[in-house]
Amino acid sequence: MSAAPGRSQASSHRSPQGEGTPVSATRVRKTADEVPAPLSDNDIYERMVSAILDHRLPPGTKLVEDRLAEAFGVSRTRIRPVLVRLANEQVVTLTPNRGASIAQPSEQEAREVFEVRRLIEPTLVERFIASATTADIQTLTRCIRDEEAARAAGDMRRAIRLSGDFHLHIADHAGHGTLGRILRELVSRTSLILMTYSAPHSQAREDATACGCQEHRALLSAIKLRDAREAARLMREHLERLESQLSFAPTRDGAPDLMQLFAGI
């Protein structure tokens, strides 16, 4: 007679998902599975750079360390080295007693960035052509296709990001690590420049992006033909046109909410 209540009591602790699986164990496993992996300093860095490239962190945005720490779910001491790294790349400005903010490039800095890009990217595309694989060509084709789709959808932020990806893929696969690292920094700074000095009217911005797609297609054609001289010439002309589109009359957008931007991504 006493056995039945015991069996009943034991069964009340069984999981409905399967006999012999305690509910508490199931809950422990589920909780463990749902806990996200902790972010590394490089993860935080990459997410901030992505936000800059996607034009979600405009120039001048104040980067409050406590808010960033809360958004990323890390301690404040983890944020400081990331900001220092971004400052070394001239993407963030660190000011004593005022903290960190997204850099606001001057007109001279903007022109210097494009001057340096014109010096190194023709060399990078020539080196890229020497070793480009079918997979590399497919990646560049996909970048252009996705960029055109983003433009058609009116997503200019994504279009500019994909344009940068086109240049970065060439740099990353050109076999020149030093120039590749320099260009990666310059592409981040170019994104800030475009946010600060892009044409003020949306139609002008869209037209500029469309021209960029056409120029990328011309570049891709030269790459497919393995015509290094023509590709280098087209790269220089492409960068000259991008600079000529800049309007040195900055516009200011409202500051983004750091918690909304980074929490949960």
Side-chain angles (χ1 to χ4, degrees), residues 6-180:
R7 286 195 300 270
S8 175
Q9 185 176 5
S11 64
S12 68
H13 293 284
R14 304 293 184 183
S15 168
Q17 297 174 346
E19 186 176 356
T21 304
V23 172
S24 58
T26 302
R27 288 175 178 166
V28 169
R29 286 199 300 269
K30 184 177 180 181
T31 302
D33 290 342
E34 290 177 348
V35 175
L39 295 175
S40 67
D41 288 358
N42 196 63
D43 290 333
I44 297 171
Y45 165 85
E46 290 293 346
R47 291 187 183 190
M48 292 189 68
V49 169
S50 292
I52 293 168
L53 293 176
D54 286 341
H55 289 199
R56 290 178 288 131
L57 276 178
T61 300
K62 189 169 179 59
L63 301 173
V64 182
E65 293 182 17
D66 288 339
R67 294 285 288 172
L68 286 171
E70 185 180 359
F72 286 116
V74 300
S75 67
R76 181 177 175 178
T77 56
R78 294 276 310 282
I79 297 298
R80 186 68 180 181
V82 175
L83 295 179
V84 171
R85 179 178 176 183
L86 291 167
N88 289 336
E89 296 175 0
Q90 301 183 55
V91 175
V92 161
T93 300
L94 293 176
T95 306
N97 302 320
R98 296 186 62 184
S101 60
I102 298 297
Q104 293 180 289
S106 66
E107 177 179 347
Q108 180 175 342
E109 289 170 339
R111 295 198 182 281
E112 287 176 358
V113 165
F114 277 99
E115 180 181 5
V116 175
R117 288 190 64 170
R118 286 195 297 272
L119 289 172
I120 68 174
E121 288 200 68
T123 298
L124 285 169
V125 75
E126 288 176 340
R127 292 178 66 98
F128 175 81
I129 285 173
S131 59
T133 65
T134 300
D136 288 326
I137 302 298
Q138 291 172 343
T139 296
L140 294 181
T141 302
R142 186 165 54 252
C143 280
I144 295 172
R145 186 179 63 243
D146 291 347
E147 181 183 350
E148 289 174 335
R151 175 184 173 273
D155 190 347
M156 292 301 106
R157 291 181 176 183
R158 177 169 165 78
I160 292 172
R161 169 63 183 268
L162 289 163
S163 175
D165 287 347
F166 179 91
H167 289 262
L168 286 175
H169 185 82
I170 291 173
D172 289 343
H173 295 79
H176 199 304
T178 300
L179 289 182

Side-chain angles (χ1 to χ4, degrees), residues 13 30 137 172 188 191 193 212-213 231 246 254 262:
H13 293 284
K30 184 177 180 181
I137 302 298
D172 289 343
S188 296
S191 187
I193 291 165
C213 290
L246 298 178
F262 292 118

Side-chain angles (χ1 to χ4, degrees), residues 202-218:
S202 59
Q203 186 59 51
R205 288 196 299 269
E206 291 181 20
D207 291 345
T209 307
C211 290
C213 290
Q214 295 166 9
E215 290 166 10
H216 283 174
R217 286 202 174 278

